Structure formats: structure tokens, C-alpha cells
Amino acid sequence: MTDLDGLLAFAERSWLPAGGFGYLGADGAVLPDRPQETWIVGRMTHVFALAHLRGRPGAADLARSGVAALREGPLHDGVSGGWRAAEDDDTKSAYVHAFAVLAGATTAMAGIAGGRELLDEALDVWDRHFWDDAEGLAVEEWSADWSRLSDYRGANANMHGVEATLAAADALSLAGEEEEAARLRRHALRSTERVVHGWARERDWRLPEHFDAAWTPLPEHNRDRPADPFRPYGVTVGHQFEWARLCLHLRAALGDAAPGWLLDDAVALFGAAAGRGWAADGLPGFPYTLDWDDRPVVTARMHWVLCEGVAAAAVLGAVTGEERYADLAATWRAHGEERFADPSTGSWHHELTPSGEVASGTWAGQPDAYHLAQMLLLEDAPVRGSVALALR
């Protein structure tokens, strides 16, 4: 059975002597020809800060390495501000900045040197360049000098923006900054209301992912490259699980002020993802994507989709007390152990064919530990977000 200690031992292999973390291959070693990427560094820094909060020896040093890489390394743009997507890609995207905020939030809460400074800088960049207060959503991508904004808008970056701002709110609340924490939670609620209570609900819980500059859905976007790792065509099953879970984390964070639709929508969105996604092609597991008539498009099985399904089921079970969610979490976790678990690394294969062979059509290797680590944490204490969980 996959456990957090084994997974963290695997994750430690991503550390780079020059600072930060690299992309891990199928053997658990850093791919030497792949440039360092901000989303990987942000995710791994977050994971090691969580590990430090859980008392893992050496995790603080790894988290500090990540903070230093994000604050002082080549990914950080000391001239124009913000973070490059990668060492060889100087675009400024909301997706990677959401992970800079998340890394800052977790390291600040964990007391890692430089963590609070990272959080403050990342939130400042997010607020100045990505958050569109008129829309209640984040824009997607800027040029390196912030002079040109792409016309594309995406739900994926906003989903991770909600996760990151909720984590930042937890960190600020812990520091006694309740007014700023409340502001961030209001932002998370506005984004979730538009995406889930708006677009997903209006389309019978088939969530559009891609939009133009006016936030008009683009249902045919990337039809010619449906297996894109960040912007796939159609309905992305795993994102519906993530949004369902985030609805419940937001509900817990807002307490008595939470609108009732957060629970109702989480139940409906989860039900659609589970009912339409599982074995949609007649084989066990969740296809990566479905079309708008619920037919499989990319049938590869991604580990992160299953992780998010398990996590969402665990949270729903804890919130509702309904045994069926715990049963689904157990069934899907067992499927993960049977199909995805890799005893040689302590992690899970990131991509499989529908029949269970290791594949790499979208993901090469086993890049990072983010989804699996959060699944393991959420199984233990599912009601709040992953940052708050680590304090229990």
C-alpha cells in the first residue's frame, strides 16, 4: 500500500544541488535534459512544507531550497517581476503563479525561512497582473514584460488559483490577518460561483475549460490536440473532482457564511464525474477526457484523475456522512494500488493505457508528488484544505 513516507522518499530525489526541484522520470531520477519548471518547483516546495508540518526529518531543508529557488533562482524575474514558466520559457502564466502562491502559503505556515516573503510577493503579482476583479476570475498568460495579455482564458488556472488563495487565506488567518484572509476567500467564492454554480451547472455538470477574452466558452478548443497536458479538449473528469473538493474546502473555510449551493454543487459535480467517467469506454478507470456527449476522447488513465476522485470522495464522505462516498474512495484507491502503484519508486505511474500498461502520450515519467501526497493527506483528515490538514 502506498504511504506518505515512501512517496516523500521518492519526492526527495527531485532536489537539485543548485536549488529547487527537477522533473522526475520513470525511474525516479531527474530528467537531465529537461529545464527547471516553476510549476514543479512550486508543487514540490508545497509538498515538502507539508511534510515538515507533519514532522518529517529533513523536509524543512528541502522546503527552504524550494523557497530560495523561487525567490532568487533563474525562474524568478528580478527585473519585470513574477516567475517564468520555465528556464527556457519566459511567459508569465496564471497556472504557475498559482503554485508560487501555494508554495508561499504552505512555507509561511510551516515557518520556513523566506516563506512569508514568497507569499507576499506571489500574492502581490497575482493581484496586480492576474486577478480581474470585474470578472471575479484570473486572466491566463502575459508576455515576459507584462505588456501583452493573451486572449485565452482558462478554468484550470482559476481552479488552482482558488486552491492557492484558500491556502494563502489559511496562512494569513494563522498570522492574525483576518481581513486579508477574508478578502482572499471572497475571491475564491466569486471564481467558484462563476465556474461551478454558473458554467458547470448550466451545462448539466459538464464543465467548459476554455474561453475567449470575453469569457465566452470555446467548446472546440484544442480538438486537434486533445491530449494536451494542461488544456485538453472536452470535459476533463479530474478537474470536476477537484472543483467538487474545492467547493467543500471553501464551504468549511467560510463557515456559517457559506452559501448552501457549495454543498449541493459539489455533490452534483462529483456525481457527474463519477457516473459519466468511470469505465466510460467499458474498461475500469477514468478516461482523461470526455466529449460533450459523454463519450471518451482521450482514454489514457492519468494518476492525478484517480487521486482527485479518491480525495473528493473522502471529503464528501466526511461532510455528508454518507457511506457510499467512503465506499467509492476505497474502491478507487484499491484500483490505484492495483494499476498505478510503482513499488520501485514509491509513487504511482502517471499515465496508463486503458488496459493498464505504462504509457507516456501526455506525461513522461513520474514528474512530481503533488496530487498523490494531497490524496494521502486528505484520506486522513478530509474536511479542510491540505495546508490546514498538516497542522492536525
Side-chain angles (χ1 to χ4, degrees):
M1 179 73 76
T2 307
D3 60 45
L4 189 60
D5 283 342
L7 177 64
L8 292 171
F10 155 81
E12 288 170 1
R13 305 180 199 178
S14 66
W15 177 76
L16 298 173
F21 307 101
Y23 185 113
L24 293 171
D27 59 356
V30 172
L31 296 181
D33 58 346
R34 190 164 180 130
Q36 191 167 200
E37 299 167 80
T38 300
W39 67 278
I40 291 282
V41 177
R43 285 182 174 192
M44 287 300 213
T45 302
H46 165 68
V47 166
F48 289 122
L50 290 174
H52 174 60
L53 286 166
R54 304 281 287 196
R56 183 175 177 84
D61 291 337
L62 291 163
R64 276 192 291 273
S65 176
V67 169
L70 290 169
R71 294 189 65 209
E72 304 161 8
L75 296 170
H76 183 259
D77 186 342
V79 176
S80 299
W83 287 269
R84 302 173 178 90
E87 288 178 297
D88 62 350
D89 179 358
D90 62 3
T91 56
K92 305 285 176 60
S93 77
Y95 182 86
V96 303
H97 282 76
F99 285 111
V101 174
L102 183 64
T106 320
T107 54
M109 186 171 285
I112 302 298
R116 179 56 197 262
E117 290 78 7
L118 173 60
L119 175 59
D120 289 344
E121 180 180 1
L123 280 175
D124 178 64
V125 173
W126 182 266
D127 284 342
R128 284 191 295 113
H129 294 294
F130 292 105
W131 179 252
D132 182 345
D133 199 58
E135 297 288 350
L137 294 162
V139 299
E140 183 74 18
E141 187 173 275
W142 291 89
S143 60
D145 62 357
W146 306 105
S147 64
R148 297 183 306 280
L149 175 63
S150 167
D151 288 336
Y152 173 84
R153 304 287 185 269
N156 187 10
N158 275 278
M159 180 183 71
H160 287 292
V162 167
E163 177 188 41
T165 52
L166 286 175
D170 280 344
L172 295 173
S173 182
L174 188 68
E177 299 173 42
E178 293 294 346
E179 184 174 344
E180 181 66 4
R183 181 185 74 88
L184 293 175
R185 289 173 181 139
R186 288 194 298 271
H187 285 189
L189 178 61
R190 291 182 66 196
S191 297
T192 304
E193 185 168 15
R194 287 207 70 184
V195 174
V196 176
H197 199 54
W199 290 307
R201 181 176 56 86
E202 291 163 0
R203 290 159 177 78
D204 193 23
W205 310 109
R206 296 173 180 88
L207 173 65
E209 297 272 352
H210 313 297
F211 304 82
D212 65 15
W215 287 101
T216 302
L218 302 173
E220 297 303 299
H221 185 79
N222 272 354
R223 192 183 185 100
D224 58 338
R225 31 189 203 106
D228 189 277
F230 301 109
R231 301 178 185 178
Y233 160 75
V235 176
T236 308
V237 177
H239 286 168
Q240 303 209 152
F241 285 134
E242 285 191 75
W243 276 110
R245 173 173 60 80
L246 288 169
C247 282
L248 299 174
H249 291 166
L250 181 55
R251 178 175 178 266
L254 293 174
D256 292 341
W261 60 260
L262 282 169
L263 177 56
D264 295 339
D265 288 13
V267 169
L269 193 58
F270 176 92
R276 296 166 182 164
W278 182 261
D281 56 0
L283 294 171
F286 293 107
Y288 181 30
T289 57
L290 307 175
D291 69 13
W292 302 107
D293 294 312
D294 307 326
R295 295 172 299 202
V297 177
V298 178
T299 58
R301 271 51 172 170
M302 307 299 179
H303 96 293
W304 73 264
V305 175
L306 188 62
C307 288
E308 293 300 335
V310 172
V315 176
L316 268 169
V319 169
T320 66
E322 295 185 28
E323 195 64 31
R324 63 190 177 105
Y325 293 117
D327 291 343
L328 281 175
T331 297
W332 296 345
R333 172 69 187 277
H335 176 75
E337 294 298 336
E338 177 187 351
R339 292 290 186 97
F340 285 91
D342 182 358
S344 69
T345 64
S347 184
W348 283 11
H349 299 294
H350 274 42
E351 181 178 345
L352 303 176
T353 66
S355 57
E357 291 81 22
V358 177
S360 57
T362 297
W363 293 107
Q366 299 176 26
D368 74 314
Y370 161 78
H371 287 284
L372 186 52
Q374 294 202 147
M375 183 198 82
L376 295 171
L377 285 168
L378 284 161
E379 284 182 323
D380 291 337
V383 177
R384 291 295 302 277
S386 59
V387 172
L389 290 178
L391 294 176
R392 296 190 175 192

